[in-house]
Amino acid sequence: MSGLNDIPINVEETSEGLRGNALPILHEIRHGLSRLAETGETTLIDLHAIPFGPGDEDLLLSLLGRGEVEASISALGPTRVWETQFPGVWLVDHCNANDERIALHIEIAGIPDILRSQPQDIAEAVARLDARLAAGLDKTGHLQG
């Protein structure tokens, strides 16, 4: 009786050497960039929800490369954001407090949403700055309080 290990498995590569989901995702990114350029519409691709074969995610990230902009956010765990070598294509890597990946997104936008100040945070900042200004300056010219 033969087992599953006896079944031959062949991995086929496209003419471009890409296999699995890397090529379809690159096409999706291309269409998202086109929409962004033409209409300003943003696109979010949840890589954590896509089944990758061995090495596919690493291949995709390698093909996208890194651009000039990176940011780190500390909120409920570290989040790292970087622009790829293709302007407007961002990777957003969310981790929990134990630095375990909980989400990996490609965001096609002028700037990722996570880096934008939220309206309620801006309103709160106005109130905090008003309170500081109302407290006045000390003798050294620094804000009190």
Side-chain angles (χ1 to χ4, degrees):
M1 183 169 164
S2 64
L4 290 176
N5 291 334
D6 297 329
I7 300 172
I9 298 174
N10 297 319
V11 177
E12 293 184 20
E13 294 190 12
T14 67
S15 60
E16 298 159 334
L18 298 177
R19 61 194 180 283
N21 283 320
L23 183 60
I25 292 170
L26 287 174
H27 281 287
E28 189 172 345
I29 291 168
R30 190 258 177 243
H31 292 295
L33 267 176
S34 181
R35 281 191 303 274
L36 181 63
E38 293 169 11
T39 68
E41 178 185 345
T42 63
T43 301
L44 182 71
I45 302 169
D46 183 357
L47 294 180
H48 206 59
I50 295 173
F52 282 111
D56 281 348
E57 182 179 309
D58 290 338
L59 175 63
L60 177 65
L61 297 181
S62 174
L63 290 167
L64 292 173
R66 285 193 178 244
E68 299 174 347
V69 180
E70 293 184 22
S72 296
I73 299 128
S74 296
L76 305 175
T79 295
R80 298 176 246 329
V81 179
W82 66 92
E83 189 173 37
T84 69
Q85 66 181 339
F86 303 98
V89 179
W90 299 84
L91 276 146
V92 182
D93 189 4
H94 300 280
C95 295
N96 63 19
N98 296 323
D99 206 26
E100 300 165 327
R101 179 178 284 160
I102 56 174
L104 179 63
H105 297 147
I106 292 177
E107 191 167 343
I108 302 167
I111 187 167
D113 276 342
I114 195 165
L115 296 178
R116 293 182 187 277
S117 296
Q118 299 301 308
Q120 64 272 21
D121 293 337
I122 295 170
E124 183 182 310
V126 170
R128 285 194 346 248
L129 186 54
D130 283 347
R132 287 259 175 108
L133 290 171
L137 301 178
D138 64 18
K139 293 179 182 179
T140 63
H142 292 94
L143 289 173
Q144 295 182 42

